[in-house]
Amino acid sequence: AQTVTQSQPEMSVQEAETVTLSCTYDTSESDYYLFWYKQPPSRQMILVIRQEAYKQQNATENRFSVNFQKAAKSFSLKISDSQLGDAAMYFCAYRARTGTASKLTFGTGTRLQVTL
Amino acid sequence: ETGVTQTPRHLVMGMTNKKSLKCEQHLGHNAMYWYKQSAKKPLELMFVYNFKEQTENNSVPSRFSPECPNSSHLFLHLHTLQPEDSALYLCASSQGLADFSGANVLTFGAGSRLTVL
């Protein structure tokens, strides 16, 4: 069974600084998708960024980028120029390519605090 | 109103009460989901519906009873719950279930915070 591990329950970053959230996963599949979701205090889970395993290029969405290391099964999220609105729970998730949209496996989350 | 809307936002109930959670999506999606979110645990998928038909039930106790009258609405009926059922219940929707492109991303609601006394 696939597992997703987020080893940092809490992280803190100063406004305008850069922070990296870690995620590792375990799978025997060769083709899959990885996601980072953000859950702010409003509680609505929002997709931040998505990576296809067959793509070597790391995904980027504005201030958010990932470091995808397929051999190491690592998928970290880098947030540059952190803003107060980035404070939230961040969840890493995995899904096999052949799986349905429901087959997401989530990690336990990392709570990010942004300080002035 | 757009997106996925869940009501109520907060619910407190006794173990003998009967209550329902409601989810409505205005995205034209065909698949809807119930997830349970407990502190320090990964999200747990509970039920999946596709075109109003239940396609997955992940061994959820019968005190949780889902209902999907159409592709836009999803309910979770609650009866004789236990204190350990206290959690955030998230509804989500997606265009469909089959997805080989990774583009069929889930859209979540803001959840219903349930407290069972």
Side-chain angles (χ1 to χ4, degrees), chain A residues 66-105:
Chain A
V66 299
N67 183 4
F68 174 48
Q69 302 289 327
K70 191 172 184 180
K73 296 181 181 175
S74 170
F75 182 61
S76 59
L77 174 69
K78 185 171 83 171
I79 306 174
S80 304
D81 186 25
S82 297
Q83 300 175 0
L84 294 178
D86 295 333
M89 281 289 289
Y90 287 82
F91 293 93
C92 179
Y94 161 98
R95 180 168 74 78
R97 182 177 178 84
T98 55
T100 63
S102 63
K103 297 299 184 186
L104 277 175
T105 300

Side-chain angles (χ1 to χ4, degrees), chain B residues 10-96:
Chain B
H10 301 272
L11 177 63
V12 179
M13 60 187 289
M15 288 192 285
T16 58
N17 291 159
K18 286 184 181 181
K19 296 287 185 183
S20 296
L21 306 181
K22 178 183 176 182
C23 176
E24 185 174 1
Q25 57 95 1
H26 303 272
L27 300 167
H29 288 171
N30 298 308
M32 296 188 77
Y33 313 76
W34 279 117
Y35 281 87
K36 177 182 179 182
Q37 184 179 13
S38 305
K40 301 182 180 179
K41 294 175 69 175
L43 268 71
E44 301 171 55
L45 179 66
M46 301 174 71
F47 302 103
V48 181
Y49 279 80
N50 194 35
F51 291 98
K52 305 189 302 179
E53 299 299 320
Q54 187 180 114
T55 58
E56 291 187 48
N57 174 344
N58 282 335
S59 304
V60 180
S62 59
R63 58 186 183 269
F64 294 91
S65 174
E67 179 190 1
C68 189
N70 54 60
S71 293
S72 299
H73 294 84
L74 184 65
F75 296 88
L76 188 62
H77 303 300
L78 315 170
H79 177 50
T80 60
L81 295 191
Q82 305 298 311
E84 58 266 27
D85 296 322
S86 298
L88 181 67
Y89 288 85
L90 293 170
C91 175
S93 69
S94 65
Q95 183 61 48

Side-chain angles (χ1 to χ4, degrees), chain A residues 4 33 35 37 39 41-47 50 52 54 89 91 95-104 106-108, chain B residues 9-10 33 35 37 40 42-43 45 48 56 88 90 94 96-97 99-106 108-113:
Chain A
V4 176
Y33 303 104
F35 307 85
Y37 279 88
Q39 187 179 39
S42 65
R43 303 186 323 210
Q44 186 161 17
M45 200 89 72
I46 303 163
L47 178 68
R50 172 179 57 220
E52 289 91 340
Y54 65 89
M89 281 289 289
F91 293 93
R95 180 168 74 78
R97 182 177 178 84
T98 55
T100 63
S102 63
K103 297 299 184 186
L104 277 175
F106 287 87
T108 52
Chain B
R9 290 271 292 173
H10 301 272
Y33 313 76
Y35 281 87
Q37 184 179 13
K40 301 182 180 179
L43 268 71
L45 179 66
V48 181
E56 291 187 48
L88 181 67
L90 293 170
S94 65
L97 278 187
D99 175 23
F100 299 107
S101 67
N104 202 2
V105 178
L106 268 63
F108 286 85
S112 293
R113 172 74 65 190

